[in-house]
Amino acid sequence: MSNATPSPADASSQVTSPQQLHTALLDDPQEWPSFGRPCDGHGAPVESAPGDAPAWESHVVLSGMHCAACALSIEDALRSVPGVMQADVSATTHRARVVWQPSQVLPSSWLAAVARAGYQALPAMDALARTQRQQESRRALWRWLVAGFCMMQVMMYAWPAYVAQPGDLSQEMETLLRWASWVITLPVVCFACGPFFASALRDVRLRRVGMDLPVALGMAITFAVSTAGTFDPAGIFGKEVYFDSLTMFVFFLLTGRWLELRLRDSTAGALEAVMNRLPDSVERRNADGAFSRVATRRLEVGDVIRVLPGEAFPADGRITDGSTHADEALLTGESTPVARPLGSTVVAGSYNLQAAVQMRVEGTGSATRFAQIVALMESASLQKPRLAQLADRVARPFLIAVLLAAVVAAAWWWPSSPSHALMVAVAVLIVTCPCALSLATPVAMLTAAGTLARHGLLVRNLQGLEALAAVDTIVFDKTGTLTRDGMALQGVHTIPGLARHDALALAAALACQSMHPASRALCAAADGDSGRWAATNVVEEAGQGLTARVIDTTGAVAPRRLRLGSARHAGVGAGQGADSAALQVVLSEETDERGAAVELARFTLAESLRPEARAVVQALQREGVAVHMLSGDRMASVQRVAMQAGIVHAQGDCSPGGKLAALQALQSQGRQVAMVGDGLNDGPVLAGAHVSFAFGSAVPLARSRADFVVLGGSLQLVLQAVLLARKTLRVVRQNLCWAAAYNALCVPLAVLGYMPAWLAGLGMALSSLLVVLNASRLARLVGEERLAQDAAGALPRTALETV
């Protein structure tokens, strides 16, 4: 056997159909980034050229699958291909993640393995995949309409047999009604039942058991028994026909699947809606200045493109012509449009809301933040929570048990009535399908993950939702988590005769010449009031302050030489009652050439507590969650922030190791601990917690190892994630209990002959539908109104408001 790397030419040499041609084109390394990314073999991303990466992680959309057994079959088919290192398939989202080695296998090979298993796979971002999904949806609707129309007609012909008294119907009339029912049932069997029979034949050919096999077997038996009764009324099956039951339970099954598909598209399908928001093509400017439409994946850094109103920006870049407003809800969780004037930056995945603009591309593909978000969402959507893994393991043995139970039931009833015996077996086959059991956990988890993603919180690990529901303690970092990244002005103290706004204007004239956080806070507080003053001959002493000659642009006041910075730099004393937890910035004026100075004003700066922090802490405490704070900052500063936020347990002067030790001490007390940090300096403690949150702006998303990533800056999402996780676990338990209770009740009824086939079909459809409907309750965040009411009364007035 040769170990040479397979070539696209070899793979495409046998191409005979358009579908195979499309698949073979994916062997081109230039196409790989359009549906995957390079990785290290374990799923961790790496920076590498397409042909040089040790492994690739690709995502594909699957068609033809209906259940957890289908997902297991596709996983087995993919893992059997040499060079495929890992394969994960989600029965809920119909997506697969494949990790493969380019040196051993090409995409066409493992896509062919999926096709041999009886399914079809297309790249997740491919327009053809979306088109096929739409076509499948239309075909499903047509099957449902045909089944419904035929069911009504068959019921019309079956009704006389139910209400007629002995002798009312002649033998000829009864035979005519049976033949009419048979003719009208043919479209149902040949067209509406097509997916069930195709899936069952595939399972038989591959010697496996899927969830459609018992259903298709029940349909075939019912039609065969009824056909025999129609063609031979005097035979053993001629006593009764069941065309009405057949068309009715087919209609019920198709109704359940159609509604289930629609509900899943509106709940768990939110993940796919986000992942497919980039346009397939965009207008790019050519060398002659004209614009032509090209595929988005063909964009390169430096290209100039035109984005029309209503379109999503396809790449990161800078606006070179025009101005607009953009919807960046995916990145920040905020739905308020953001102004994007000429020269401002725009990000891939945000929507152009107002006017056509031109932009220069600065980042494409995996280099964009949107690509990192999509990668995290795809990874999460393919994970299988612990309860879902258990359900998948049970599915196949359960299906085999269903077939055996149907055989036993038929054998038991056969001596009394062969026709009734077969219909009892049909009822057992249909009513015991474990669809509801397989959907119970994943549909709820993915609905919750989609809801959080729409509001700016990415779920990296679905197991984290299960763990978060059990959390009783949350530990917050201080800087950048409970507080904003920058500083805020807390107080202004001036000498007599100098107004507060004049002192701020003088200080801002110097501060605006520096990038120090304290300088930026003073500039922001002045809010443009420094226009009267101009600073010249500015000298900055790193870490100490600035010195400059300040000129009154109106000419009313002679030039002055001012200093701004620490008390030592300003040449004055530390002052009385200085707050050791806050930063003191002093403005002074030199009085002579020897450098003597007199203090003009003193500004108190401190970290700004997030406005929602106190309300979030109070709400968590009411929910029975203990709140702690760990920080590496000075204890005085930590205590001040803890008092403002309403946190009783706070520790300062903690090293990263000290934070981890404090967290482990809480865990040793039997607590389930969640950690909320910035994702950059809190790596060890985030990894050590049962559940972890990281604010996404602090670290590249691909390097974040937290279970949840907060894309915006709101702490409300932490509270809402806790509440939604608890509700999600309740919904999962309800779904599992319903699925178990349904089978425990209906199986004995079917075996005893008390459940006709049409009622079995209705029960099966309703069981799956109820699971999805129950999960759809998770499509809305919990506690939004209550949190808003808390925020209105929980926040104290700041020191700045009292000056």
Side-chain angles (χ1 to χ4, degrees):
M1 179 180 294
S2 173
N3 293 324
T5 302
S7 69
D10 296 336
S12 61
S13 60
Q14 301 299 321
V15 171
T16 56
S17 70
Q19 179 60 46
Q20 289 175 318
L21 178 59
H22 180 270
T23 301
L25 290 175
L26 299 178
D27 289 342
D28 183 356
Q30 298 304 315
E31 296 290 334
W32 297 349
S34 66
F35 63 106
R37 59 178 179 171
C39 66
D40 61 1
H42 301 285
V46 297
E47 296 294 333
S48 176
D52 300 332
W56 269 82
E57 177 186 278
S58 297
H59 293 265
V60 293
V61 175
L62 300 160
S63 60
M65 61 180 296
H66 305 288
C67 60
C70 296
L72 294 174
S73 298
I74 297 173
E75 285 181 354
D76 292 342
L78 285 169
R79 290 169 182 167
S80 66
V81 177
V84 172
M85 306 168 66
Q86 190 175 347
D88 300 294
V89 178
S90 170
T92 307
T93 61
H94 295 187
R95 301 173 76 91
R97 168 181 172 268
V98 185
V99 179
W100 51 282
Q101 292 180 302
S103 60
Q104 297 184 35
V105 67
L106 289 172
S108 60
S109 298
W110 50 264
L111 288 172
V114 175
R116 287 193 297 272
Y119 306 91
Q120 187 178 2
L122 288 172
M125 298 298 181
D126 198 315
L128 181 59
R130 294 196 288 276
T131 301
Q132 290 200 349
R133 292 287 287 272
Q134 292 172 355
Q135 291 175 348
E136 281 188 14
S137 180
R138 285 194 292 268
R139 284 195 295 266
L141 180 59
W142 272 109
R143 291 189 184 99
W144 176 75
L145 289 173
V146 168
F149 176 78
C150 293
M151 176 197 70
M152 291 186 290
Q153 297 302 313
V154 170
M155 286 301 299
M156 288 174 56
Y157 296 136
W159 182 250
Y162 285 111
V163 299
Q165 298 298 321
D168 288 350
L169 278 179
S170 65
Q171 182 64 39
E172 292 79 5
M173 178 59 68
E174 185 174 355
T175 302
L176 179 62
L177 291 176
R178 288 189 179 188
W179 273 99
S181 298
W182 181 81
V183 171
I184 296 175
T185 304
L186 282 177
V188 177
V189 175
C190 298
F191 176 67
C193 296
F196 299 102
F197 288 136
S199 180
L201 288 173
R202 181 175 60 220
D203 291 339
V204 171
R205 187 177 70 253
L206 298 175
R207 299 179 182 178
R208 68 188 183 206
V209 178
M211 292 188 189
D212 280 344
L213 181 59
V215 175
L217 195 57
M219 293 174 179
I221 291 173
T222 305
F223 184 70
V225 169
S226 301
T227 299
T230 302
F231 280 79
D232 184 14
I236 60 172
F237 299 121
K239 182 180 180 181
E240 190 174 358
V241 293
Y242 304 94
F243 294 119
D244 53 337
S245 294
L246 173 61
T247 54
M248 196 179 299
F249 79 67
V250 170
F251 176 73
F252 288 148
L253 290 179
L254 292 176
T255 301
R257 285 203 173 181
W258 170 252
L259 293 176
E260 178 188 322
L261 176 65
R262 302 296 295 176
L263 284 168
R264 280 162 57 181
D265 284 346
S266 64
T267 53
L271 292 171
E272 186 169 344
V274 171
M275 290 187 281
N276 289 324
R277 68 188 300 165
L278 289 189
D280 297 319
S281 61
V282 67
E283 294 182 352
R284 182 175 64 184
R285 191 170 69 189
N286 302 325
D288 59 1
F291 285 88
S292 60
R293 190 160 287 274
V294 298
T296 298
R297 64 177 181 270
R298 298 297 185 186
L299 291 180
E300 297 179 354
V301 174
D303 286 344
V304 175
I305 60 175
R306 180 166 58 195
V307 182
L308 303 177
E311 288 185 342
F313 289 99
D316 292 347
R318 189 174 300 275
I319 294 179
T320 58
D321 184 24
S323 63
T324 187
H325 282 74
D327 176 6
E328 299 181 353
L330 174 68
L331 304 175
T332 65
E334 296 292 337
S335 58
T336 305
V338 180
R340 287 292 176 250
L342 179 67
S344 61
T345 59
V346 291
V347 292
S350 60
Y351 279 106
N352 180 13
L353 299 179
Q354 192 175 57
V357 295
Q358 295 181 26
M359 61 171 282
R360 187 177 301 277
V361 175
E362 296 180 348
T364 63
S366 60
T368 64
R369 187 170 180 80
F370 173 78
Q372 296 176 16
I373 292 173
V374 167
L376 292 185
M377 294 178 70
E378 285 183 322
S379 176
S381 69
L382 288 163
Q383 292 173 4
K384 293 183 180 179
R386 180 176 53 83
L387 293 174
Q389 293 174 6
L390 177 62
D392 286 352
R393 286 196 298 269
V394 169
R396 278 182 173 171
F398 184 82
L399 288 170
I400 295 173
V402 166
L403 295 175
L404 293 176
V407 171
V408 171
W412 175 264
W413 285 97
W414 188 271
S416 59
S417 171
S419 177
H420 181 65
L422 290 178
M423 295 312 297
V424 168
V426 168
V428 172
L429 288 172
I430 295 172
V431 80
T432 54
C433 181
C435 291
L437 183 65
S438 296
L439 286 172
T441 299
V443 74
M445 292 286 191
L446 288 173
T447 301
T451 301
L452 292 173
R454 288 198 305 272
H455 289 80
L457 181 66
L458 288 185
V459 181
R460 290 192 70 256
N461 180 11
L462 284 182
Q463 295 279 15
L465 277 172
E466 190 176 338
L468 184 61
V471 160
D472 56 18
T473 304
I474 293 185
V475 177
F476 286 95
D477 178 43
K478 179 178 72 70
T479 306
T481 304
L482 284 172
T483 64
R484 299 183 188 274
D485 291 332
M487 308 187 77
L489 181 65
Q490 297 292 310
V492 181
H493 306 278
T494 63
I495 62 174
L498 180 62
R500 176 183 181 277
H501 70 275
D502 288 334
L504 266 176
L506 285 169
L510 277 74
C512 290
Q513 311 301 316
S514 170
M515 293 301 294
H516 191 278
S519 298
R520 292 202 301 269
L522 287 173
C523 287
D527 195 23
D529 286 344
S530 62
R532 175 185 172 186
W533 306 98
T536 61
N537 302 327
V538 179
V539 177
E540 181 172 7
E541 184 180 346
Q544 294 299 317
L546 302 107
T547 303
R549 186 170 181 265
V550 178
I551 301 173
D552 182 0
T553 56
T554 66
V557 179
R560 312 166 70 176
R561 189 163 181 82
L562 302 181
R563 299 178 187 176
L564 180 70
S566 65
R568 187 182 69 82
H569 177 78
V572 299
Q576 299 294 321
D579 183 1
S580 61
L583 175 64
Q584 297 279 327
V585 178
V586 180
L587 176 67
S588 65
E589 181 178 8
E590 294 184 1
T591 56
D592 55 39
E593 295 183 357
R594 292 178 298 177
V598 60
E599 180 177 332
L600 299 179
R602 189 177 294 264
F603 306 95
T604 303
L605 300 174
E607 290 177 305
S608 174
L609 188 72
R610 293 184 187 271
E612 74 280 4
R614 188 176 182 87
V616 169
V617 169
Q618 289 181 350
L620 286 170
Q621 290 169 342
R622 280 198 303 273
E623 294 295 329
V625 179
V627 180
H628 293 244
M629 182 168 64
L630 298 175
S631 176
D633 209 345
R634 294 169 299 167
M635 191 61 194
S637 176
V638 171
Q639 290 291 356
R640 179 184 63 81
V641 172
M643 182 178 64
Q644 291 180 347
I647 298 175
V648 177
H649 308 286
Q651 296 182 38
D653 300 309
C654 295
S655 64
K659 289 183 181 180
L660 182 59
L663 182 105
Q664 290 172 340
L666 290 171
Q667 292 173 329
S668 66
Q669 299 171 15
R671 296 177 178 267
Q672 296 290 314
V673 184
M675 177 69 197
V676 185
D678 62 11
L680 188 61
N681 301 316
D682 299 320
V685 70
L686 287 174
H690 293 107
V691 189
S692 54
F693 292 80
F695 278 73
S697 60
V699 66
L701 296 180
R703 286 165 45 202
S704 174
R705 287 296 176 263
D707 299 304
F708 299 87
V709 178
V710 184
L711 296 178
S714 177
L715 287 172
Q716 293 180 7
L717 291 171
V718 176
L719 167 65
Q720 289 165 342
V722 172
L723 297 177
L724 190 62
R726 291 179 175 180
K727 185 176 180 180
T728 300
L729 206 60
R730 288 197 299 270
V731 167
V732 168
R733 288 169 178 162
Q734 291 166 3
N735 286 348
L736 290 173
C737 289
W738 159 251
Y742 161 77
N743 280 285
L745 174 66
C746 292
V747 171
L749 291 176
V751 171
L752 293 174
Y754 293 124
M755 181 170 287
W758 67 267
L759 186 58
L762 178 61
M764 174 191 168
L766 287 179
S767 65
S768 298
L769 189 59
L770 184 62
V771 164
V772 180
L773 276 171
N774 196 29
S776 68
R777 297 191 296 121
L778 301 170
R780 186 173 179 273
L781 288 180
V782 182
E784 292 176 288
E785 299 85 354
R786 183 173 59 194
L787 186 62
Q789 294 170 0
D790 292 343
L795 300 178
R797 298 181 68 197
T798 64
L800 178 59
E801 294 172 322
T802 61
V803 173

